[in-house]
Amino acid sequence: MTDTQTPPAPQPGDVMMQMIFSFWTTRALYAAAKLGIADLVKDEPQTAEQLAAATKTHAPSLYRVLRALASVGVFAEDAQGRFAQTPLSDTLRSDAPVSLRWTAMVELGQEHFVAWSNLMHGIETGGIAFEDHYKMNCWEYYAQNPEHAQNFNNSMTGFTALVNQALLAAYDFSGVNTLVDVAGSLGAMLAAVLPRYPQMRGVLFDQPHVVADAGPLLDAAGVRARCEIVGGDFFKEVPAGGDAYFLKFIIHDWADEPAAAILRTVHRAMPAHGKLLLGEMVVPPGNEPSMSKFLDLNMMVMLGGRERTAEEFRALFEQAGFRLTRIVPTHSPMCVIEGEKIP
């Protein structure tokens, strides 16, 4: 009979040490994503020397980074010192169905990481850490740095693909003949929804320079003929007459006053029977763990926006002339917050 013992529970100091040093892992992830290591080992394992030659890096240093990542399941080192793909590293492939490569680059090594290093500015002053560091807002920064803007757009497309699967499984769009995707970027949401609902037509609305690049994604999904692409400013006007208006991860970018202004623009465009649909995280009460509580900090750092509780969404809806009718959870952290016009 084998004598088995329950491993001792982690001590608070051990847990805290893991938290403190967690940024070591994320910085290593950033390096692997930026160098495209997952793309290079997609077909067969590669040594650090081979990978260094392909990426023009220092082989011994690259080896140490990959060895550390392999210890947490990102890549796997074999007996010959070659690094192979794992399910975790597979998500960092540029051509993965849901690629997180650009998310790793944007969040862990570019403007987000720099802005987070200025977190204390927001805590001490209530200001926006990003704007204090860069002396411009996030959107102005992207306008001046198109390569970083493209990485951000790619990141949002990948993240959208991830949550769209959960959205479609949880929310029934039956009865919606015209769906207006407000600030829908390149159209990933419509590309996912329209094939499921053949009777539906879509309207993709975003800033003109954003939707100018939307055609290929809609073409690839086979729905371009059923989509109208409109450029504009959602503080001024959005396309009128939709049966439902969807804003996914948009309202959390803004503090309450500008968020309500956006919703009032939608209110003016929406017919009496229309639905307002927000795709957002909902902050749970108490000490319940939730990604929303840390995403809330990211909104504070980057844009001055916020994540909201159910009651805060209810109050925001009423401020803009809507009644919150229900909150539909999904298998992802996102919920669908549904509203209707107050008569």
Side-chain angles (χ1 to χ4, degrees):
M1 182 175 180
T2 304
D3 183 19
T4 59
Q5 294 182 339
T6 303
Q11 296 300 301
D14 297 329
V15 175
M16 182 54 67
M17 288 281 280
Q18 289 180 343
M19 290 183 176
I20 291 170
F21 296 143
S22 62
F23 85 96
W24 295 355
T25 303
T26 59
R27 290 298 284 169
L29 279 172
Y30 163 70
K34 183 173 178 61
L35 294 172
I37 301 297
D39 292 344
L40 295 172
V41 300
K42 173 185 173 182
D43 297 320
E44 60 181 0
Q46 303 280 324
T47 65
E49 288 74 17
Q50 291 172 310
L51 293 168
T55 57
K56 297 180 172 59
T57 55
H58 182 247
S61 298
L62 180 61
Y63 171 80
R64 292 163 70 179
V65 170
L66 298 178
R67 178 179 63 181
L69 288 174
S71 75
V72 292
V74 182
F75 307 112
E77 184 182 7
D78 65 17
Q80 287 75 46
R82 300 176 305 172
F83 290 93
Q85 202 84 293
T86 67
L88 281 178
S89 64
D90 201 50
T91 67
L92 297 177
R93 281 179 21 232
S94 301
D95 62 349
V98 180
S99 177
L100 297 177
R101 180 187 178 191
W102 290 278
T103 300
M105 291 169 62
V106 168
E107 296 290 338
L108 306 180
Q110 294 179 179
E111 58 279 355
H112 281 66
F113 187 86
V114 174
W116 266 84
S117 70
N118 197 31
L119 173 64
M120 286 302 299
H121 171 79
I123 297 172
E124 291 170 349
T125 70
I128 301 172
F130 182 98
E131 294 183 9
D132 176 68
H133 178 84
Y134 286 104
K135 310 308 177 188
M136 65 183 78
N137 67 40
C138 188
W139 311 121
E140 291 168 337
Y141 174 88
Y142 284 137
Q144 295 182 25
N145 295 271
E147 181 181 350
H148 285 199
Q150 186 60 55
N151 288 339
F152 176 75
N153 287 336
N154 288 340
S155 170
M156 291 298 97
T157 298
F159 185 67
T160 292
L162 191 65
V163 300
N164 277 346
Q165 300 167 14
L167 166 69
L168 290 171
Y171 192 84
D172 184 4
F173 287 89
S174 298
V176 176
N177 294 316
T178 300
L179 178 63
V180 183
D181 189 8
V182 178
S185 187
L186 302 181
M189 202 276 286
L190 289 177
V193 174
L194 291 181
R196 299 278 191 102
Y197 297 89
Q199 86 292 344
M200 186 187 293
R201 60 181 293 270
V203 180
L204 176 62
F205 178 81
D206 210 315
Q207 297 177 76
H209 72 275
V210 175
V211 295
D213 298 324
L217 185 60
L218 298 173
D219 283 331
V223 298
R224 179 65 182 87
R226 290 195 280 140
C227 281
E228 180 183 1
I229 298 176
V230 181
D233 179 351
F234 57 27
F235 283 108
K236 297 177 180 178
E237 187 178 26
V238 299
D243 299 299
Y245 287 74
F246 200 97
L247 296 86
K248 183 168 60 184
F249 292 130
I250 302 302
I251 293 302
H252 75 163
D253 288 349
W254 304 91
D256 286 347
E257 185 175 340
I262 295 167
L263 295 183
R264 281 193 286 268
T265 305
V266 174
H267 189 279
R268 291 194 296 271
M270 181 187 294
H273 70 273
K275 292 181 180 179
L276 171 65
L277 305 173
L278 302 187
E280 299 279 359
M281 295 185 191
V282 178
V283 179
N287 297 321
E288 181 180 335
S290 172
M291 181 182 176
S292 65
K293 296 177 180 179
F294 283 91
L295 184 60
D296 179 58
L297 298 184
N298 193 56
M299 294 301 105
M300 180 178 77
V301 165
M302 295 296 295
L303 294 163
R306 63 186 307 120
E307 302 305 312
R308 294 174 171 86
T309 66
E311 287 308 310
E312 287 170 334
F313 275 115
R314 192 180 308 279
L316 182 65
F317 274 34
E318 290 177 358
Q319 187 179 347
F322 293 98
R323 178 187 296 109
L324 195 155
T325 52
R326 58 176 175 150
I327 295 177
V328 181
T330 75
H331 294 305
S332 78
M334 184 186 73
C335 297
V336 180
I337 302 121
E338 182 188 81
E340 63 184 10
K341 273 190 167 184
I342 296 174

